[in-house]
Amino acid sequence: MTERPSAGSFRTFVSTHRGAVEDALLGLLPDKSAQPARLHEAMHYAMFPGGKRLRPMLTLLGCAATGGALQAAMRPGAALECLHTYSLVHDDLPCMDNDDLRRGRPTCHKVYGDSLALLAGDALLTVAFEGVAAAGGPAVQALAKAAGSIGMVGGQVEDLAAEGDGAAHTIERLRWIHDHKTGALITASLLVGAHAGAGGEDPVLEEVPEEVLGLLRRYGDRLGRAFQIADDCLDMTGSAAELGKNPGVDLAAGKLTWPALVGLEKSQEAATALAEEAAGLAGQVVSAAAEWRSVARSSLDGAAKLLQDVAIYTVERRT
Amino acid sequence: MTERPSAGSFRTFVSTHRGAVEDALLGLLPDKSAQPARLHEAMHYAMFPGGKRLRPMLTLLGCAATGGALQAAMRPGAALECLHTYSLVHDDLPCMDNDDLRRGRPTCHKVYGDSLALLAGDALLTVAFEGVAAAGGPAVQALAKAAGSIGMVGGQVEDLAAEGDGAAHTIERLRWIHDHKTGALITASLLVGAHAGAGGEDPVLEEVPEEVLGLLRRYGDRLGRAFQIADDCLDMTGSAAELGKNPGVDLAAGKLTWPALVGLEKSQEAATALAEEAAGLAGQVVSAAAEWRSVARSSLDGAAKLLQDVAIYTVERRT
């Protein structure tokens, strides 16, 4: 734990587990040729090749940081990615952001038409719950809360409402939007991982204690905010090639963003401060988990380092 | 069990439990004033006042017929209704069926706009899984399978593809569409009810045995087919006042329907035959359940009668 946090170890973690995550995704989705083939093609088109797969990686980390076996978090992690991808597919629709570029390719509706893209999104949201079911009732509930009307969907609604409504642009409102639109699902990724890793012979291990969940929530809260502020900054500084989507669209749409409110430099400072705050909580998360599981704290040192490093990664990334 | 099946006892069952189902729906949805209020208003608008609430009633019946306590099926039943309603909201969107009348009122997007209706549908689908979580992992899986790309959404895709594609209109194709678009969720309603009612001190009672589930599936299969053929007929014979939606739209859209293929009379005969087939399976369902629970078969006679009567109801109804 003396090593300075750097995004490097998280990048290594991603390359190590990327293949298994892709396999879990393929295992969760029906085959591309399953009837109706056109629908399954659209779902696969939206899912592969994917982006950073950040959410499944966070599911794996939530599992590892609470002492669970990574394997248990693979399918639930894939579920998180399906859920995230559905939100992108619906967000890109003409009646929403009307975007034509995503993950470096034409958006799903540009290729398959609006009705099939709508239904592919619906099916990805649905299959997400099939994938998370094995992680148990509390995991299903955590995901549904985070993804629903008082979570991600609620955030999307307020985000749309804030467009062009310049008079009501405040940091408080923006924080609410970020916490719901992005933060809730990032935190849920971690929580689902923790739930997925619970269970076992000893009844004490069947349920993740509220103390551990609460610390993960605090950590995820900071991580989610840092991530979304960094995202807002990238929309201004990144290129389409780096982002795989059109940059500058937030600004053009009159969206409420951090850089629009306080400028680019202050936004980047805020993101870094939040990432450091998150990193500072990593030790507490694993200590509480070690106590719950009655294992040596040192057995979770590697996981704690990863929680620190992913926080740094969220603000250092260029994509 | 000597009483002749009639829709009457099911209608009584519906009036008895309608209030509790509405309460469960209100308990599952966030309050109308919860932020973002406009989203929650749109969700409530789509849900209240509702239609027949057939799916939650079937969840209650699936629970009762397998010897469970009705109370355990209330929230999961509400979940089924949220899922059904999301499918109506998305189906009515301009990029889908582009309907302007539903449950006797302007459709959700006519009142709240396309983007909010899309997101309200997404949120209703999501909250459905929150509601079904308490019924356990197998219930979540059954619902996700039935509602997803190899279930309801798959059926919607094939239904859209069949529009105007007259050359490929066959009974086999139509049956596939009905089984997926409507039947899967009707069967899932029954299965979720059975899962919700499982559990208890005795580990044998924790999981519904495959034999019981298989019989419920066979029953639900016939019920779903009867229901959808009757629906196709009502689209031709009903009025907007009775249906709460515009009649004749299937015909106008060149949809693949039973009456279009074999005429109204033969369709009604087919629906009745399927309803009677379903009714004939009711006894087997409750006998298997009674054996699993080690209770007297006669304790489930009332539930068997209801399974018979709802089958008759599906083909006798005018709405």
Side-chain angles (χ1 to χ4, degrees), chain B residues 110-298:
Chain B
K110 283 281 167 194
V111 179
Y112 292 93
D114 296 354
S115 59
L116 209 60
L118 169 68
L119 291 167
D122 289 343
L124 286 172
L125 170 53
T126 307
V127 83
F129 285 99
E130 196 177 333
V132 87
V140 175
Q141 297 220 13
L143 185 60
K145 269 269 192 264
S149 65
I150 56 169
M152 187 180 75
V153 172
Q156 287 169 303
V157 168
E158 290 289 354
D159 193 35
L160 283 173
E163 257 179 49
D165 174 20
H169 283 189
T170 63
I171 284 281
E172 288 65 37
R173 188 173 188 194
L174 178 55
R175 198 170 278 143
W176 194 97
I177 292 172
H178 281 186
D179 284 353
H180 289 75
K181 196 182 75 163
T182 315
L185 199 62
I186 283 187
T187 299
S189 304
L190 295 158
L191 297 176
V192 164
H195 290 302
E201 305 276 299
D202 183 350
V204 167
L205 296 181
E206 261 181 32
E207 267 187 41
V208 191
E210 186 46 43
E211 199 207 335
V212 175
L213 295 174
L215 283 163
L216 264 184
R217 272 190 216 103
R218 281 176 61 196
Y219 169 86
D221 190 56
R222 274 67 171 178
L223 186 73
R225 285 185 186 176
F227 178 85
Q228 184 60 53
I229 297 175
D231 230 43
D232 283 2
C233 295
L234 281 173
D235 183 69
M236 288 187 70
T237 62
S239 67
E242 284 174 321
L243 302 179
K245 59 185 175 183
N246 292 319
V249 290
D250 293 351
L251 205 65
K255 279 215 189 249
L256 177 55
T257 70
W258 269 79
L261 273 183
V262 302
L264 193 58
E265 200 179 330
K266 280 201 172 157
S267 299
Q268 283 163 338
E269 282 169 20
T272 302
L274 283 160
E276 282 168 1
E277 222 184 297
L281 287 161
Q284 290 182 53
V285 171
V286 302
S287 292
E291 196 169 323
W292 162 51
R293 289 198 182 258
S294 309
V295 296
R297 165 66 170 75
S298 58

Side-chain angles (χ1 to χ4, degrees), chain A residues 30 34-40 43 75 86 90 93 95-96 114-116 118-120 122-123 125-127 129-130 132-134 137 140-141 143-145 147-150 153-158 160 176, chain B residues 30 34-40 43 75 86 90 93 95-96 114-116 118-120 122-123 125-127 129-130 132-134 137 140-141 143-145 147-150 153-158 160 176:
Chain A
Q35 196 181 356
R38 190 93 181 135
L39 170 66
H40 290 109
M43 292 166 74
R75 195 173 162 90
Y86 119 77
H90 280 189
L93 283 171
C95 70
M96 299 285 292
D114 296 354
S115 58
L116 209 59
L118 169 68
L119 290 167
D122 289 344
L125 170 54
T126 307
V127 82
F129 285 99
E130 195 176 334
V132 87
V140 175
Q141 298 219 12
L143 185 59
K145 270 269 191 264
S149 65
I150 55 167
V153 172
Q156 287 170 304
V157 168
E158 290 288 356
L160 282 173
W176 194 97
Chain B
Q35 195 181 356
R38 190 97 181 131
L39 171 66
H40 290 109
M43 292 166 74
R75 194 172 163 90
Y86 118 77
H90 280 190
L93 283 171
C95 70
M96 300 284 292
D114 296 354
S115 59
L116 209 60
L118 169 68
L119 291 167
D122 289 343
L125 170 53
T126 307
V127 83
F129 285 99
E130 196 177 333
V132 87
V140 175
Q141 297 220 13
L143 185 60
K145 269 269 192 264
S149 65
I150 56 169
V153 172
Q156 287 169 303
V157 168
E158 290 289 354
L160 283 173
W176 194 97

Side-chain angles (χ1 to χ4, degrees), chain A residues 106-117:
Chain A
T107 43
C108 192
H109 68 274
K110 283 282 165 193
V111 179
Y112 293 93
D114 296 354
S115 58
L116 209 59

Side-chain angles (χ1 to χ4, degrees), chain A residues 60-79:
Chain A
L60 298 186
L61 284 190
C63 181
T66 53
L70 278 195
Q71 194 46 45
M74 284 293 170
R75 195 173 162 90

